[in-house]
């Protein structure tokens, strides 16, 4: 067995090993109820990572997802009262549109995606601050329950978030495996010049990848604000690093072309287990990002396809 | 003094060098000729340490040596003057000359520019270049930069004990006649300092400069000719080799094409950067070959037909329809297929399997409302795998792992299965071994039989002559001559060369 052969299987092996280790340290961890609530808690992050997967799959990155989610929590909190359930449409449209903008900047103006999405993220953050007056906002609890209560309840012992996550995962998996969009995105990630030489309008599909990333970040933000019954311009801070870690640890490298949304599911579960284990090991919340930073570096170093890189700057 | 003894080099699917014996004496100029793909560049890379041989030995003064990288080879006196120049344009001449070897001028990490300039002047004097070493390199002419490159390699003289061997890779390709003369004079004088290996596709130059000439073909040294007995046509013959018979290029399968219909017609088309008007017509079943040296404008014509380049003026009609907008999507929709020169970059997507590659240009045909019918894709791939006997374990095989010939078959089936009847083939046999080349020739004849028009930029002149119905010779973007190539009445190499150069 060579490293090349093992590599695609590393993510789920890592997940099993980590789960087993934490389970040995604290058998309570493996109780189904505990695992389910753990999974339910990670859903907003998972949805964000799901969208981010598309941006990374084509060899780009979307650094705006966290600010996007922040902005959406504010928008959802403000407009729930006036728009009711339609606020969800507003949120998703805003995410899709701003993602499209990042894509436009990247494909038409040739601004590298890490900087175009960083800039769009800056815009989102500022919009959030401006709309909220830089304060934390609250939703009307009754209206929230009436409109979006279904998102956060329980069916039996299963948190409803998991159904939402499963539905979105199924949708993304369908896009990735069965649609022209998914096929072209794979071709772009694995070999963009050949896709272009086949007469494909590559730019349009790349823009859609960023739009999907934005839309899913918006859904993540919406769910997060429903869970917390409110919003604030910094409420989702701390999502970006774990979301990128989830995608990369799952096995979609920064160079793109391989991996996909199922990998991101595994990656997110790894992040969830790491988070939980930190509780058991007594690592404070303030220290978590340090660990995620280290994991991120390790994940990039392990997954990146160096044959695709000429120089790194 | 420098010697290769039965050196072997293999790449996946290609035996690039077969038991090469090579030696060069002190102060000698050795020429190296061969067709594209004969193994010249692989041999050079072995000599200057970029490749490590799989078998055989490298000997310097009779002692075996091993180079893990070019820098180690340089330490033993082997230097390379690159065809695509390796100087960094925004650095000064002296910085370039001593790039990587600044330590001799530094104290505590600070560079003594005066000392470096003085040393650089000394190097420039060796190549008789009288310029200020502090000049930024981008301000120099191409010929001057080439001399700087040579001066850079000549610094080895002071750094290395023992003899120098300097490789010159196509050094004359962009020089004017006078510049070539000066360069040759200089190289002859420099033989007191070093031995030279001179690689060029211009036979006359190689014969003029070299003391001995190695003729390569299919990874082997066919012959070593001393200058006294060098004869251009004999060398040509050895380069192309033996049985370049009619069967090799499937000439017996060449049939007359349909002159009554036109697939496309260019009338007085002017392309950006070239003043000449181009007139070209392609008929069903015709193989139209564009012949010319590198930079003669063959590429631009292919790119125009494929829609990547828009003409400035003129009339371009495709299948009876006058074209205005130019983009690849439109061309593909009109039945143009493009087999690019860079097979691994533009031809196939490594990391995608056979069926995903084959439908990449025709996803619309295999999907409904954006949803792909994977079952039909797989059926298509299985069909073509058996039709062209593509060696892949199944339609799920990663195209990146196929051999070059099979990758090319996948690219060809991508277009043929989509019904393309105007095929643009840019060096379709580049880097393929002989068997795979013959497969490609067969496929070209098959496509002709089906009424597909083919625009071909061939890897070699022989290939162009052997395959084509019509040859168009280009020089500096102008159509110089047309040849009708009926089997048995084909033009000779010299007929073409005469118009190319």
């Amino acid at each position: 067995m060579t490293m090349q052969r093992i590599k695609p299987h590393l993510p789920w092996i890592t997940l099993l090993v980590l789960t087993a280790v934490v389970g040995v340290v604290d058998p309570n961890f493996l109780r189904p109820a505990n695992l389910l609530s753990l999974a339910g808690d990670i859903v907003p992050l998972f949805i964000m990572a799901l969208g981010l997967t598309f941006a990374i799959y084509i060899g780009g990155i979307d650094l705006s997802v966290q600010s996007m989610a922040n902005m959406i929590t504010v928008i959802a909190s403000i407009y729930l009262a006036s728009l009711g359930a339609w606020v969800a449409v507003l949120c998703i449209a805003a995410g899709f549109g701003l993602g499209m903008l990042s894509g436009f900047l990247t494909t038409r103006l040739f601004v590298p995606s890490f900087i175009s999405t960083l800039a769009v993220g800056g815009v989102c953050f500022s919009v959030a601050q401006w709309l909220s007056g830089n304060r934390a906002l609250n939703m009307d609890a009754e209206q929230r329950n009436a409109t979006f209560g279904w998102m956060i309840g329980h069916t039996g012992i299963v948190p409803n978030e998991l159904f939402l996550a499963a539905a979105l995962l199924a949708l993304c998996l369908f896009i990735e495996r069965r649609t022209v969009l998914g096929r072209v995105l794979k071709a772009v990630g694995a070999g963009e010049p050949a896709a272009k030489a086949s007469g494909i309008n590559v730019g349009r599909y790349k823009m859609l990848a960023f739009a999907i990333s934005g839309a899913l970040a918006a859904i993540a933000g919406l769910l997060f604000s429903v869970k917390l019954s409110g919003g604030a311009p910094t409420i989702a801070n701390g999502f970006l690093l774990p979301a990128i870690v989830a995608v990369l640890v799952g096995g979609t490298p920064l160079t793109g072309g391989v991996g996909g949304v199922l990998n991101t599911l595994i990656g997110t579960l790894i992040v969830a287990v790491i988070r939980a284990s930190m509780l058991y090991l007594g690592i404070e919340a303030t220290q978590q990002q340090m660990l995620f930073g280290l994991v991120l570096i390790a994940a990039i170093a392990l997954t990146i396809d160096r044959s695709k890189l000429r120089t790194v700057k | 003094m420098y010697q290769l003894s039965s050196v072997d080099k293999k790449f996946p699917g290609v035996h690039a060098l077969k038991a090469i014996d090579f030696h060069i004496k002190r102060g000698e100029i050795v020429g190296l000729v061969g067709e594209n793909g004969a193994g010249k560049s692989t041999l050079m890379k072995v000599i200057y340490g970029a490749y490590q041989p799989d078998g055989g030995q490298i000997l310097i003064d009779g002692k075996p040596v091993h180079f893990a990288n070019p820098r180690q080879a340089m330490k033993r006196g082997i230097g390379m003057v690159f065809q695509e120049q390796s100087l960094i344009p925004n650095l000064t001449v002296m910085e370039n000359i001593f790039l990587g070897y600044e330590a001799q001028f530094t104290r505590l990490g600070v560079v003594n520019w005066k000392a470096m300039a003085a040393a650089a002047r000394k190097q420039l004097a060796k190549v008789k270049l009288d310029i200020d070493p502090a000049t930024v390199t981008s301000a120099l002419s191409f010929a001057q930069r080439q001399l700087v490159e040579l001066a850079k390699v000549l610094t080895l003289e002071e750094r290395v004990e023992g003899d120098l061997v300097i490789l010159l890779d196509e050094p004359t390709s962009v020089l004017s006649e006078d510049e070539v003369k000066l360069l040759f004079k200089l190289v002859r004088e420099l033989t007191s300092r070093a031995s030279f290996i001179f690689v060029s596709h211009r036979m006359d130059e190689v014969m003029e400069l070299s003391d001995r000439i190695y003729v390569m073909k299919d990874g082997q040294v066919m012959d070593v000719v001393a200058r006294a007995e060098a004869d251009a046509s004999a060398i040509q013959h050895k380069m192309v080799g033996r049985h370049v018979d009619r069967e090799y290029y499937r000439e017996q399968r060449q049939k007359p094409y349909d002159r009554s219909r036109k697939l496309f017609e260019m009338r007085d088309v002017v392309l950006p950067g070239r003043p000449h008007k181009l007139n070209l017509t392609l008929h069903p079943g015709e193989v139209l070959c564009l012949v010319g040296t590198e930079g003669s404008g063959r590429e631009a014509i292919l790119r125009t037909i494929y829609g990547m380049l828009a003409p400035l003026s003129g009339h371009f009609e495709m299948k009876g329809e006058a074209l205005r907008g130019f983009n690849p999507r439109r061309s593909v929709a009109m039945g143009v297929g493009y087999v690019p020169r860079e097979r691994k970059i533009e031809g196939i997507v490594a990391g995608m399997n056979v069926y995903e590659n084959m439908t990449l240009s025709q996803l619309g045909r295999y999907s409904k409302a954006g949803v792909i019918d994977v079952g039909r894709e797989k059926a298509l791939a299985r069909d073509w795998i058996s039709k062209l006997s593509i060696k892949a374990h199944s339609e799920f095989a990663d195209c990146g792992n196929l051999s070059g010939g099979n990758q090319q078959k996948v690219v060809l089936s991508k277009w043929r299965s989509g019904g393309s009847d105007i095929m643009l083939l840019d060096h379709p046999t580049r880097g393929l071994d002989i068997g795979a080349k013959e497969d490609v020739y067969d496929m070209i004849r098959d496509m002709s039989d089906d009424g597909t028009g083919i625009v071909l930029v061939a890897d070699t002149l022989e290939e162009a002559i052997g395959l084509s119905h019509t040859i168009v010779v280009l020089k500096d973007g102008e159509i110089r001559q047309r040849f009708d190539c009926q089997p048995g009445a084909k033009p000779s190499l010299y007929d073409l060369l005469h118009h190319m150069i």
Side-chain angles (χ1 to χ4, degrees):
Chain A
M1 275 295 245
T2 58
M3 188 64 195
Q4 211 56 39
R5 299 270 301 276
I6 301 174
K7 220 173 178 180
H9 302 291
L10 268 183
W12 65 264
I13 294 173
T14 310
L15 178 62
L16 284 188
V17 169
L18 277 179
T19 313
V21 167
V22 180
V24 166
V25 174
D26 184 350
N28 273 336
F29 175 75
L30 292 178
R31 279 187 304 124
N34 183 50
L35 289 180
L36 279 174
S37 85
L38 211 63
D41 285 344
I42 204 91
V43 167
L45 179 70
F46 172 63
I47 295 175
M48 186 182 282
L50 207 52
L52 188 55
T53 310
F54 285 90
I56 295 181
Y57 195 50
I58 62 168
I61 185 87
D62 186 351
L63 297 178
S64 70
V65 286
Q66 173 181 295
S67 306
M68 183 77 74
N70 274 325
M71 183 186 77
I72 294 298
T73 64
V74 171
I75 291 179
S77 305
I78 291 177
Y79 294 105
L80 176 66
S82 53
L83 293 177
W86 289 103
V87 78
V89 176
L90 173 68
C91 290
I92 296 170
F96 191 88
L98 284 164
M100 207 74 177
L101 175 64
S102 302
F104 178 82
L105 296 173
T106 304
T107 56
R108 299 286 188 251
L109 304 183
F110 298 101
V111 180
S113 60
F114 80 90
I115 203 78
S116 65
T117 56
L118 191 63
V120 169
V123 172
C124 293
F125 179 59
S126 179
V127 167
Q129 285 184 311
W130 169 59
L131 284 179
S132 67
N134 230 349
R135 285 173 295 121
L137 307 167
N138 287 311
M139 288 181 178
D140 178 56
E142 222 162 88
Q143 195 179 9
R144 177 197 75 158
N145 288 338
T147 324
F148 294 120
W150 54 271
M151 279 187 187
I152 51 171
H154 278 73
T155 307
I157 58 162
V158 183
N160 282 351
E161 291 102 313
L162 288 184
F163 295 111
L164 182 64
L168 288 172
L169 175 64
L171 177 67
C172 290
L173 198 59
F174 180 77
I175 291 177
E176 180 192 302
R177 302 270 166 99
R178 282 289 179 270
T179 65
V180 172
L181 173 62
R183 179 67 57 76
V184 172
L185 294 182
K186 184 176 184 184
V188 168
E192 190 169 339
K196 273 189 188 155
S198 296
I200 293 173
N201 183 353
V202 168
R204 193 168 63 190
Y205 291 101
K206 279 164 90 176
M207 281 205 275
L208 273 178
F210 287 102
I212 291 174
S213 178
L216 283 169
I219 296 175
L222 180 63
L223 176 63
F224 201 51
S225 68
V226 170
K227 275 180 98 130
L228 300 178
S229 192
T234 55
I235 201 164
N237 280 9
F239 268 57
L240 182 60
L241 209 47
I244 300 176
V245 168
V247 176
L248 297 178
V249 171
T252 308
L254 273 182
T255 35
V258 290
V261 291
L262 270 190
N263 291 69
T264 298
L265 172 66
I266 309 256
T268 312
L269 292 175
I270 292 176
V271 168
V273 175
I274 292 177
R275 258 195 194 164
S277 68
M278 285 197 276
L279 286 180
Y280 293 114
L281 299 174
I283 295 173
E284 282 179 44
T286 49
Q287 297 170 334
Q288 286 193 4
Q289 295 276 345
M290 288 192 237
L291 189 67
F292 280 122
L294 294 176
V295 175
L296 179 62
I297 292 167
I300 293 176
L302 272 174
T303 57
I304 208 158
D305 180 357
R306 288 178 179 78
S307 67
K308 282 192 193 162
L309 302 173
R310 279 160 184 254
T311 56
V312 177
K313 284 180 184 172
Chain B
M1 107 221 150
Y2 180 93
Q3 195 182 346
L4 299 176
S5 157
S6 50
V7 158
D8 242 55
K9 182 75 192 170
K10 285 178 187 149
F11 296 106
V14 185
H15 198 163
L17 294 180
K18 298 168 192 159
I20 298 282
D21 288 314
F22 177 93
H23 71 95
I24 183 164
K25 290 177 268 198
R26 190 165 295 133
E28 197 179 23
I29 303 174
V30 168
L32 192 57
V33 296
E35 290 190 293
N36 286 334
K40 281 177 303 184
S41 39
T42 310
L43 179 60
M44 278 198 293
K45 283 180 176 162
V46 168
I47 292 175
Y48 77 81
Y51 287 161
Q52 287 69 50
D54 299 326
Q57 278 190 317
I58 304 174
L59 305 159
I60 291 182
D61 296 330
K63 288 185 203 107
V65 289
H66 175 79
F67 304 136
N69 53 50
R71 197 164 166 120
Q72 286 184 8
M74 280 165 78
K75 282 196 182 133
R76 296 304 304 266
I78 315 232
M80 171 83 182
V81 176
F82 289 91
Q83 176 184 10
E84 282 139 37
Q85 299 185 343
S86 69
L87 302 178
I88 299 172
N90 58 348
L91 295 186
T92 62
V93 169
M94 59 180 171
E95 284 170 314
N96 263 310
I97 290 179
F98 294 107
L99 191 65
Y101 298 94
E102 295 87 352
Q104 49 188 320
F105 308 109
T106 54
R107 259 184 108 180
L108 304 171
V110 179
V111 177
N112 180 349
W113 295 109
K114 267 190 191 154
M116 192 193 263
R121 235 173 249 122
K122 208 171 115 203
Q123 298 300 332
L124 291 171
K126 288 185 195 170
V127 296
K128 306 204 162 104
L129 190 58
D130 185 21
I131 53 171
D132 180 359
T135 315
V136 176
T137 308
S138 58
L140 303 181
S141 75
F142 193 91
Q144 285 176 319
R145 270 183 270 165
Q146 195 146 41
L147 292 177
V148 171
E149 189 116 16
L150 188 55
K152 179 180 170 178
V153 172
L154 284 169
T155 58
L156 285 175
E157 201 178 10
E158 280 90 41
R159 241 181 5 243
V160 173
E161 289 185 24
D163 302 297
L164 293 194
V165 176
I166 296 176
L167 291 105
L168 303 170
D169 182 12
E170 303 273 1
T172 60
S173 48
V174 278
L175 299 186
S176 72
E177 228 166 281
D178 293 342
E179 288 169 334
V180 171
K181 271 187 196 144
L182 281 174
L183 179 72
F184 281 11
K185 188 159 168 269
L186 183 68
V187 168
R188 280 199 202 93
E189 287 172 23
L190 285 172
T191 50
S192 59
R193 298 176 187 271
S195 316
F196 287 88
I197 301 172
F198 176 55
V199 181
S200 173
H201 63 273
R202 295 192 189 169
M203 191 65 66
D204 51 335
E205 290 177 1
V206 175
M207 286 174 44
E208 185 193 332
L209 188 64
S210 315
D211 301 319
R212 282 184 307 134
I213 300 170
Y214 279 81
V215 185
M216 285 190 77
K217 181 175 155 356
D218 295 333
Q220 284 168 304
V221 173
M222 299 308 286
D223 200 3
V224 186
V225 191
R227 190 218 304 260
E229 54 208 65
D231 165 53
S233 73
I235 293 177
Q236 285 273 14
H237 188 75
K238 281 172 190 144
M239 260 168 66
V240 184
R242 69 322 167 205
H243 37 263
V244 181
D245 53 12
R246 293 184 181 170
E247 242 164 74
Y248 184 56
Y249 294 115
R250 308 302 190 255
E251 264 186 59
Q252 75 281 10
R253 293 193 52 197
Q254 181 172 336
K255 293 182 193 124
Y257 56 87
D258 178 1
R259 283 170 194 271
S260 62
R261 290 192 302 132
K262 290 172 185 169
L263 288 171
F264 72 72
E265 184 175 17
M266 288 183 178
R267 280 201 303 272
D268 297 336
V269 164
V270 177
L271 299 181
R274 309 274 195 183
H276 308 289
K277 289 182 175 172
L278 299 169
N279 287 290
L280 276 181
T281 311
L282 183 71
H283 303 91
E286 181 181 10
V287 178
L288 171 68
C289 205
L290 305 179
V291 166
T293 54
E294 205 69 34
S296 59
R298 299 171 301 179
E299 236 92 292
I301 293 177
L302 284 188
R303 286 162 57 88
T304 306
I305 302 168
Y306 194 59
M308 290 194 283
L309 195 68
L312 296 177
S313 66
H315 187 75
F316 191 166
E317 215 169 75
M318 200 177 269
K319 307 207 170 139
E321 195 181 319
L323 290 189
R324 283 196 188 78
F326 284 84
N327 62 64
R329 255 170 306 140
R330 182 193 169 115
S331 303
V332 170
M334 295 196 72
V336 180
Y338 174 48
V339 177
R341 180 192 295 217
E342 301 280 350
R343 180 174 55 245
K344 286 185 174 146
I345 298 170
E346 291 190 307
I348 56 135
V349 181
M352 298 222 304
N353 61 37
V354 176
Y355 71 79
E356 287 172 328
N357 266 291
M358 278 188 191
T359 56
L360 199 54
S361 59
Q362 42 180 337
L363 282 169
R365 215 170 292 142
Y366 287 84
S367 62
K368 225 178 223 166
V371 180
I372 297 178
D373 185 347
V374 179
R376 272 176 59 216
E377 286 188 310
K378 288 181 192 160
L380 170 90
R382 279 195 297 268
D383 188 25
W384 282 88
I385 286 175
S386 70
K387 238 187 228 175
L388 302 183
S389 40
I390 299 174
K391 287 194 191 69
H393 61 73
S394 72
E395 67 270 28
F396 297 102
D398 180 348
C399 282
N401 295 336
L402 302 182
S403 73
N406 286 301
Q407 288 179 341
Q408 200 65 300
K409 286 180 181 178
V410 171
V411 180
L412 280 166
S413 23
K414 168 166 90 178
W415 297 112
R416 289 191 64 194
S417 65
S420 300
D421 54 4
I422 300 176
M423 289 293 288
L424 312 176
L425 309 182
D426 190 359
H427 293 85
T429 57
R430 170 159 289 188
L432 301 186
D433 57 30
I434 293 196
K437 278 184 186 174
E438 290 186 89
D439 281 347
V440 171
Y441 301 150
D442 265 326
M443 283 188 274
I444 288 176
R445 294 297 180 217
D446 289 344
M447 288 191 276
S448 282
D449 289 348
D450 294 346
T452 301
I454 294 168
V455 183
L456 174 71
V457 175
D459 221 19
T460 62
L461 286 178
E462 290 75 14
E463 197 175 278
I465 296 167
L467 291 171
S468 57
H469 290 89
T470 313
I471 287 182
V472 166
V473 182
L474 290 153
K475 191 190 172 194
D476 300 330
E478 189 185 5
I479 295 180
R480 282 300 182 89
Q481 189 66 38
R482 268 165 222 275
F483 292 95
D484 215 10
C485 306
Q486 296 307 321
K490 300 226 172 196
S492 73
L493 267 179
Y494 304 103
D495 294 338
L496 300 186
L497 278 168
H498 177 67
H499 295 283
M500 280 167 64
I501 305 166

